[in-house]
Structures are given as structure tokens and as C-alpha cells.
Amino acid sequence: FAVTSTGISFDIFKDYFWYYLIAIICFAAVGIPTLFFLKTKDIVRELPPLILPNTGNMGVPICLFAYGSEGLGVSASITSLIILFHFTLGVFLAKKKFSFDIVVKSPPVYAIIISVIFLYFQIKTPLFLENTTFLLTYATIFLVLMSLGIALTRFKFSLKNSIILSLCRVILGPIIAFIIIYNFNLSGFAAGVLLIQSAMPSAILNYLVGSMYSPRKVVESIASTIVVSTVASFLTIPIIVFIALKYFS
């Protein structure tokens, strides 16, 4: 819905899809040494919370608040990449092997492809499809949040490591975005959206994918990073939004 109904052009969608792909590569370049420094035993499986932020549940509404429907469209293009990676790269890292069957059976992959087709050919989204998407989205968010909350009451984790990884996510993320904005000479609301989306905490879907394919100890670490980074973002996101609106509007 956010991709097809906000008036965003296919060129902007494509450009910021690639810009955020560069950002994810940079997140990984920072995340791997950080996990190594913390003497993490399973760096591969614990990398997703650092490279796949919560650009959907948190990022999209915040960008909508900051920049209106135009910001919503750009944020949706970034979120499309993150969702695609959750069910491809995220599963690959969690399982430590690639399974093409998972990609074929993944509804989000088809949803993104259909959205891009609608956007490219400027097809108006049917109302029944919009309403169905809303209902499924709200139900999914509720179920994942509930399962994460239950899991946290049973898990044991290192608070020190969680704090370090969380600060890496919410502080180094926007710094990387600034570097990309500067080097590619980006400006306007789209650059502000890129900055805001790079400052998001770890995505809840990292926990969902990890709980399906990773050992319990890894899942505990992922869950704790999600919670601590989300709490930390309550302090950092207002600052980032202020900077974005001041310099990229």
C-alpha cells in the first residue's frame, strides 16, 4: 500500500532501494568486527539484528509523521528491501545455508514483486487489496510482539553485550547514513528518510526468523538486542528526526 499509493516514482523507489543496500553492507562491515570484539561464538547468526533494522513497524510511521505521504513512499521502498532480506539473507544467516524453497514459499517476496509491478506500470491498487493488507499486517505485528514478550520472560542473556550491540545499531546506523548522503550528494526529504530509517532499532522479525532456524542461545541474544535497542531508540530517534527535518526538508 505504502509503495503503490503515495505517488512515489519508480526511479526514486529504485534509487533508494540501492542506497539502503549500500547502507546494509556498511552495517555488516561495522557489525562483524563488533561481534568479534565481544567474542561472540556465532557471529553469522547474531549479525541480522545489526544489519536489519525495524524500518517497517517503527520507521514507516515516523517517516510519515516527518515528511507526509512523500516520506511514506521512500520509507516503503527501504522497507521493501529489509523485508526481502529478512526472508532471504536473514534465513540464510540463521540456518547457515541457503534454501531456495523458503524464498519460493515466502509471501512477502511475491508481495514486493507485485508492488513493484504496480508502481512501474502505475496501476491503482484495488481497495479490497489495501484492506486485506492492513488486516494481515496488524494481526502479524500483534502476534510477533506477543511471542517476543513471552520469550523475554524465559531467556537469559548478557545485558552488557546487548547494550553495546544496541548502541552500535542506533548510533552507528545514522552515522553510516550521513556518509552515504554526503558521498552521493543526496538532499531533500528522501535523504532525511534514509537517515531516519538508518537510525531504527533492530527489527522484531529478526527474532521470528531466529526462533525458527537458530539455537536457543542465539535467539536469546537476538531478543535482548531487539528490546534494548528499541528502548535506546526512544532517546536517539527524536534527535535524528530533528536533524533530518532541519537539514533535509
Side-chain angles (χ1 to χ4, degrees):
F1 169 76
V3 172
T4 58
S5 62
T6 54
I8 182 178
S9 69
F10 179 76
D11 288 337
I12 293 178
F13 176 91
K14 178 186 64 177
D15 290 344
Y16 279 84
F17 188 95
W18 289 112
Y19 289 145
Y20 209 80
L21 177 60
I22 295 171
I24 290 174
I25 294 171
C26 294
F27 296 158
V30 172
I32 292 172
T34 303
L35 290 169
F36 182 79
F37 172 76
L38 294 174
K39 298 180 180 179
T40 303
K41 293 182 179 180
D42 203 334
I43 293 176
V44 173
R45 285 192 167 116
E46 294 196 29
L47 185 60
L50 298 179
I51 65 174
L52 301 176
N54 193 355
T55 59
N57 300 339
M58 282 188 69
V60 168
I62 291 173
C63 291
L64 175 62
F65 164 77
Y67 293 108
S69 61
E70 290 181 327
L72 177 63
V74 177
S75 66
S77 68
I78 292 172
T79 301
S80 297
L81 175 63
I82 293 296
I83 292 174
L84 187 64
F85 270 18
H86 271 301
F87 295 97
T88 52
L89 178 63
V91 174
F92 168 71
L93 294 175
K95 291 184 67 175
K96 287 189 174 180
K97 66 177 183 178
F98 182 76
S99 176
F100 192 72
D101 288 343
I102 294 174
V103 178
V104 173
K105 297 175 182 177
S106 176
V109 174
Y110 296 106
I112 292 170
I113 293 172
I114 292 171
S115 297
V116 171
I117 292 172
F118 272 55
L119 182 64
Y120 184 79
F121 292 103
Q122 299 182 347
I123 302 171
K124 183 174 176 58
T125 310
L127 183 60
F128 78 89
L129 189 58
E130 292 180 8
N131 293 336
T132 303
T133 303
F134 278 135
L135 290 172
L136 290 174
T137 300
Y138 293 149
T140 303
I141 292 171
F142 170 75
L143 291 172
V144 174
L145 283 173
M146 188 169 63
S147 64
L148 176 62
I150 294 171
L152 286 171
T153 63
R154 303 173 181 172
F155 287 168
K156 297 179 181 179
F157 53 84
S158 169
L159 184 60
K160 176 186 173 183
N161 286 2
S162 298
I163 291 173
I164 293 173
L165 294 174
S166 298
L167 292 177
C168 180
R169 171 86 292 281
V170 300
I171 294 177
L172 296 183
I175 291 174
I176 290 171
F178 267 121
I179 294 172
I180 293 173
I181 290 169
Y182 176 79
N183 281 279
F184 287 93
N185 195 28
L186 305 179
S187 61
F189 73 91
V193 170
L194 178 66
L195 175 62
I196 292 171
Q197 290 285 52
S198 297
M200 291 298 112
S202 300
I204 298 171
L205 277 175
N206 290 311
Y207 163 74
L208 179 63
V209 174
S211 63
M212 293 170 64
Y213 301 108
S214 297
R216 180 184 174 86
K217 192 170 183 179
V218 173
V219 178
E220 291 176 354
S221 177
I222 291 173
S224 62
T225 301
I226 292 170
V227 173
V228 176
S229 66
T230 300
V231 173
S233 71
F234 294 157
L235 299 175
T236 59
I237 287 177
I239 298 172
I240 296 300
V241 172
F242 172 78
I243 294 171
L245 290 173
K246 184 175 178 63
Y247 296 103
F248 305 106
S249 61

